[in-house]
């Protein structure tokens, strides 16, 4: 112990004393029936100095695995000896969470509204509040996401690894996969980087569904990042995996025909070139159209819908040459699709 008392942590006009924790409600707006909506932030302010980490979930209101990840994280006994400050926002987009929707009531994607505007649209106001009260007070961040509804993602960290500390954060998280993902205009990652704050995105599971593997991986990953920053000390039982596979590009394989999808492989499976992944069955005739891997890779996402049209996204594959070693730098880049662009 240093013997030097820290200053209180100030947020939303409240002061949280060292060694205490509090749920702070930041007013956002009111529903059409005039019920208030707030941005709820769990503030854990350690007695000893250290970094300030924010963990956000449900920026997209239907991505609920992160909500449960934060709930479990806050119950970890080791947090009583926290050094630094932990800010947890279980539900950023309360409007979408209530409606079980990815979007805000005006159909805006909150993750395209950063850094926001205090007098702009509802999305812009909410983004501005999060940036001002949480992100700007932090040293690093982890933003929790899932696939969209009817798709699932392998637990993975997405980051722009040229950003300061992003690779170190991703490595400490130790998800099964690290994927190079460019920042999108208006995203939380982009707005945070403009302030000099590294943020990585954790993806795992499916929208509107709990995925136990993704939840446990998320909790352990956050604890791993905190331990790497000296914020906590964790036992081996809570430690994350030893390493991640690093992929620099991925691509969705699309349905060559309409019909019924028969999936032979699952997320996390590795495939050799020309290996069978699934097939499209004709519901009226005994005809199968095969779907094969064009390269050596790993399935990092897939559709959960068996009824498909021609051109539908079926399997998201990351290309790998020497599993489980990192992909060589000369691996060809391919366009990166965000969840709302996968159609």
């Amino acid at each position: 112990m240093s013997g030097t008392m820290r200053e209180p942590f100030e947020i939303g006009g409240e002061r949280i004393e060292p060694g205490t924790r509090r749920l702070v409600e930041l007013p956002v707006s009111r529903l059409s029936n005039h019920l208030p909506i707030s941005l709820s932030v769990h503030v854990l302010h350690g007695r000893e100095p250290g970094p300030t980490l924010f963990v956000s979930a449900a920026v997209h209101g239907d991505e609920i695995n992160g909500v449960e990840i934060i709930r479990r994280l806050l119950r970890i006994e080791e947090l009583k000896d926290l050094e630094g400050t932990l800010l947890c926002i279980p539900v950023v987009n309360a409007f979408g969470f209530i409606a079980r929707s990815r979007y805000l009531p005006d159909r805006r994607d909150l993750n395209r509204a950063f850094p926001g505007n205090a007098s702009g649209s509802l999305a812009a106001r909410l983004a501005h509040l999060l940036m001002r009260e949480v992100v700007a007070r932090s040293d690093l961040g982890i933003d929790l996401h899932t696939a969209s509804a009817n798709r699932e993602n392998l637990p993975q960290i997405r980051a722009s690894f040229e950003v300061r500390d992003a690779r170190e954060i991703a490595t400490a998280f130790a998800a099964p996969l690290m994927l190079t993902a460019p920042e999108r205009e208006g995203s939380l990652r982009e707005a945070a980087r403009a302030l000099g704050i590294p943020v990585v995105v954790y993806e795992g599971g499916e929208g509107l569904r709990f995925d136990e593997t993704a939840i446990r991986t998320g909790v352990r990953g956050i604890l791993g990042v905190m331990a790497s920053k000296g914020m906590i000390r964790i036992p081996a039982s809570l430690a994350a995996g030893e390493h991640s596979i690093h992929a620099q590009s991925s691509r969705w394989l699309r349905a060559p025909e309409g019909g019924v999808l028969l999936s032979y492989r699952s997320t996390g499976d590795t495939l050799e070139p020309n290996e069978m992944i699934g097939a499209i069955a004709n519901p009226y005739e005994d005809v199968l159209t095969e779907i094969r891997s064009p390269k050596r890779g790993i399935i990092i996402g897939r559709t959960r819908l068996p009824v498909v049209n021609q051109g539908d996204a079926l399997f998201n594959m990351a290309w790998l040459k020497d599993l489980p070693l990192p992909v060589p730098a000369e691996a060809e880049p391919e366009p990166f699709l965000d969840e709302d662009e996968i159609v």
Side-chain angles (χ1 to χ4, degrees):
M1 295 293 182
S2 66
T4 301
M5 182 63 74
R6 300 179 71 194
E7 293 294 322
F9 187 86
E10 298 187 12
I11 180 172
E14 297 193 34
R15 291 164 59 89
I16 294 84
E17 297 295 329
T20 65
R21 57 196 294 173
R22 188 185 307 172
L23 180 63
V24 176
E25 303 286 352
L26 305 175
V28 175
S29 180
R30 291 181 181 271
L31 297 175
S32 55
N33 63 358
H34 217 60
L35 287 176
I37 292 289
S38 62
L39 184 68
S40 302
V41 183
H42 287 275
V43 182
L44 287 70
H45 192 42
R47 293 186 182 277
E48 298 297 316
T52 297
L53 165 69
F54 81 82
V55 182
S56 54
V59 166
H60 296 128
D62 62 348
E63 299 182 357
I64 63 173
N65 276 336
V67 180
E68 177 63 7
I69 288 171
I70 289 178
R71 190 189 73 83
R72 295 188 191 184
L73 174 68
L74 293 171
R75 298 170 62 198
I76 298 294
E77 182 69 17
E78 283 70 18
L79 293 181
K80 71 180 187 303
D81 296 319
L82 175 70
E83 298 183 16
T85 304
L86 175 64
L87 306 176
C88 290
I89 312 94
V91 180
V92 176
N93 179 3
F95 302 91
F97 184 76
I98 293 169
R100 303 175 188 173
S101 168
R102 177 183 181 88
Y103 303 106
L104 288 156
D106 58 3
R107 291 291 296 172
R108 280 185 168 88
D109 184 335
L110 179 58
N111 211 26
R112 295 293 179 273
F114 290 93
N117 187 317
S119 59
S121 67
L122 179 59
R125 292 171 189 240
L126 179 52
H128 178 266
L129 179 65
L130 182 67
M131 290 295 296
R132 183 190 71 207
E133 295 291 344
V134 176
V135 178
R137 302 173 192 270
S138 303
D139 298 303
L140 68 158
I142 301 171
D143 191 24
L144 306 175
H145 288 260
T146 75
S148 59
N150 301 318
R151 296 191 183 96
E152 68 173 3
N153 281 336
L154 177 73
Q156 59 194 260
I157 285 288
R158 296 180 180 180
S160 299
F161 293 107
E162 73 276 8
V163 174
R164 175 184 62 84
D165 288 345
R167 185 175 298 277
E168 290 73 15
I169 296 169
T171 300
F173 197 105
L177 182 83
M178 293 164 51
L179 179 63
T180 299
E183 295 166 349
R184 290 308 175 94
E185 184 177 357
S187 67
L188 174 57
R189 276 199 295 149
E190 181 194 57
R193 180 177 57 80
L195 297 179
I197 301 162
V199 174
V200 301
V201 167
Y202 172 65
E203 289 268 357
E206 178 184 354
L208 295 176
R209 297 286 186 275
F210 277 162
D211 183 302
E212 188 63 27
T213 298
I215 291 168
R216 292 184 181 184
T217 301
V219 173
R220 291 188 175 193
I222 296 168
L223 293 175
V225 172
M226 295 178 70
S228 74
K229 295 294 184 180
M231 299 177 70
I232 58 172
R233 293 162 184 80
I234 57 175
S237 61
L238 292 178
E242 293 182 359
H243 66 268
S244 302
I245 296 170
H246 185 186
Q248 292 183 329
S249 61
S250 67
R251 194 188 82 190
W252 279 89
L253 305 183
R254 296 183 177 272
E257 298 284 349
V260 179
L261 173 64
L262 307 177
S263 296
Y264 302 149
R265 309 301 294 267
S266 188
T267 53
D269 287 351
T270 56
L271 300 165
E272 296 296 331
N274 204 41
E275 190 170 349
M276 181 86 79
I277 307 174
I280 304 294
N282 184 323
Y284 301 107
E285 301 176 10
D286 188 18
V287 176
L288 291 178
T289 302
E290 297 180 346
I291 304 164
R292 294 181 177 272
S293 171
K295 303 180 185 179
R296 181 175 175 81
I298 179 172
I299 300 174
I300 65 171
R302 64 171 181 147
T303 183
R304 300 286 290 173
L305 294 176
V307 179
V308 300
N309 292 309
Q310 187 177 41
D312 283 355
L314 304 181
F315 300 95
N316 191 11
M317 291 197 62
W319 310 127
L320 305 168
K321 292 187 177 180
D322 297 304
L323 290 170
L325 300 176
V327 178
E330 65 270 14
E332 65 274 22
E334 298 189 22
F336 183 83
L337 297 180
D338 199 6
E339 291 297 324
D340 56 355
E341 298 173 318
I342 303 166
V343 293

